[in-house]
Amino acid sequence: MLSFLKNPDRSTRALMYTCFFSFFCNGALTLTMGSVMPDLKAAYGLSDTLSGVFLSAHSAGNLVAGFISGLIPLYLGQRRSIVLLSSLAFLGFLMMLLWGNPVWLLVAFIFTGMGRGSVTNFDNRMVNLLSGGSPAATNLLHGSFAVGAILAPMFFLGLRSLIGWQAGVAFVVLLGLISLRRFGLMRVPNDHPDRFDKANRTLSFLRNPSFLILAMMMFCYLCSEYAINGWLVTYMQNKPELIASFGVTGAALDDAVTAYSQSMATLLWSVMLLGRLVCAALSARISQKVLMMVSSVGIAAFFVMMLLSSAVGAVTLSVAGLGFCMAGLSPMIYSDAAVFTNTYPMATSALLGIGSAGAMLMPAIVGATAERFGFTGGMSAILVTVVLLIVFAVLNVTVKTRMPVSGIPTPAGKRE
């Protein structure tokens, strides 16, 4: 499973480890954003609709980053570009501590999305390139994201209890500074791509049905993932049947609900880490196209179970199953698209950009729907994209992959 680390030289391994650490920081950033949302609402008097708009603003920044992070390196170089763009994420978190003005917070969330998206683009493209599109490498990259996502709610809850929610946000800013230093010291192959080379700018892959199917899978998956991550804690804290099942009242009930909802965010990403390790092992033996189709069906089943359940045990089981089935989808989509991303630099940007368009849309829909129909009704809107994810996953299995015009060999370890 770790064969991709055996042959590279020292500088290549160091670059891959830098990508893994920055993806760890991305995971911490993402889950802290969901964990802090109830505190931001309380501290600044935000409505559910406005909170959903902020989450969508994060996705809008992610969408913008999907394209500019592929073009800016042509002028500034890859190392300078990623240092500049990734710093925006942690600047956005710092802004959340300073002022609660809605316009100010909107800009802050846009910055977090731009920073996160730029790191996602750079890391996925670089690891795909350095590992030859290895599914194991991509799953381990996304596994490091899961580790950050697992630890972030725990650190946030601990710091919130001891000091205040602001301390949890400051912890993410500190991680960002460490990540920036790592990026600043790395040596990047082909640091200054030739901006006059048409292959570095072309979008011809958008005419390839195989790429479009993968892009729509990413769209549907990120619709679901961003909405679930952004609203899971708030959903748990606003589900009357679940709250009643705790059997306590007053301050004890508030503490129990807060601790349980935050622990569910940790559980989701703990199981996602396990699932990504399992996918990394299975991808060498089973077609990842089949794995993605099975995972999509599993997401639908466990998500419906979560919406229909009110007992603590059933909700916990559904969250665990949901995390396990979600685990490998994003890394396997990136890995399956390596035949495009290793040929066209803008392919990774387009894949992220199309996915981010969905991630921008769904959190706002959930927030607006929740204000009218309650949070169960709001979360139910996600089912539409989950069903579409199954449709595109089936097409990904049944439609034969069309190679890029220039053509490159299918990366080792992948099966059609």
Side-chain angles (χ1 to χ4, degrees), residues 15-312:
L15 178 53
M16 294 189 74
Y17 293 149
T18 296
C19 291
F20 289 161
F21 179 75
S22 61
F23 232 54
F24 164 85
C25 295
N26 250 17
L29 179 153
T30 303
L31 265 290
T32 299
M33 190 165 51
S35 296
V36 78
M37 186 56 71
D39 292 296
L40 286 177
K41 287 175 60 181
Y44 299 134
L46 307 176
S47 67
D48 291 331
T49 298
L50 193 56
S51 300
V53 169
F54 288 156
L55 292 175
S56 292
H58 171 85
S59 299
N62 208 359
L63 174 63
V64 172
F67 293 100
I68 66 171
S69 61
L71 293 174
I72 291 180
L74 299 179
Y75 299 90
L76 297 182
Q78 298 192 75
R79 183 173 61 84
R80 289 181 180 177
S81 296
I82 191 59
V83 169
L84 172 65
L85 292 171
S86 64
S87 66
L88 293 176
F90 307 101
L91 175 61
F93 267 83
L94 184 60
M95 290 171 66
M96 294 178 196
L97 297 175
L98 301 178
W99 197 17
N101 179 275
V103 176
W104 175 268
L105 289 176
L106 184 70
V107 174
F109 275 87
I110 291 174
F111 279 177
T112 62
M114 290 179 67
R116 179 190 175 186
S118 299
V119 171
T120 298
N121 190 353
F122 178 85
D123 285 357
N124 277 287
R125 180 167 49 83
M126 193 59 62
V127 169
N128 248 347
L129 185 63
L130 296 176
S131 69
S134 166
T138 312
N139 269 288
L140 289 177
L141 173 68
H142 286 253
S144 64
F145 181 100
V147 173
I150 291 165
L151 296 179
M154 298 169 59
F155 275 103
F156 179 82
L157 187 60
L159 291 170
R160 178 181 181 272
S161 300
L162 293 173
I163 305 174
W165 63 269
Q166 295 90 340
V169 175
F171 175 72
V172 176
V173 175
L174 177 61
L175 285 179
L177 294 176
I178 299 173
S179 179
L180 287 177
R181 175 169 173 77
R182 293 291 305 170
F183 275 138
L185 295 174
M186 68 183 177
R187 297 180 179 178
V188 182
N190 190 27
D191 190 20
H192 290 81
D194 183 4
R195 65 176 180 267
F196 300 106
D197 185 349
K198 291 184 179 180
N200 289 329
R201 296 170 173 271
T202 184
L203 297 175
S204 60
F205 51 84
L206 290 176
R207 297 193 296 268
N208 191 309
S210 300
F211 179 85
L212 292 177
I213 289 172
L214 290 168
M216 291 310 299
M217 286 182 66
M218 187 65 81
F219 174 90
C220 295
Y221 173 75
L222 289 185
C223 266
S224 307
E225 183 194 295
Y226 272 60
I228 291 170
N229 279 331
W231 287 109
L232 181 64
V233 172
T234 307
Y235 166 71
M236 295 289 182
Q237 294 179 5
N238 288 272
K239 190 174 176 66
E241 301 89 347
L242 178 63
I243 294 173
S245 69
F246 282 93
V248 293
T249 58
L253 178 60
D254 292 339
D255 292 342
V257 171
T258 298
Y260 178 74
S261 60
Q262 297 285 1
S263 68
M264 286 300 96
T266 300
L267 174 65
L268 180 73
W269 284 96
S270 297
V271 179
M272 286 187 75
L273 173 60
L274 174 63
R276 283 172 178 173
L277 295 176
V278 171
C279 285
L282 290 179
S283 60
R285 302 177 179 86
I286 303 174
S287 167
Q288 58 184 351
K289 292 182 181 293
V290 173
L291 287 175
M292 285 190 281
M293 181 177 66
V294 173
S295 297
S296 300
V297 174
I299 289 173
F302 283 109
F303 186 70
V304 169
M305 179 180 174
M306 185 185 77
L307 293 179
L308 297 179
S309 301
S310 57
V312 171

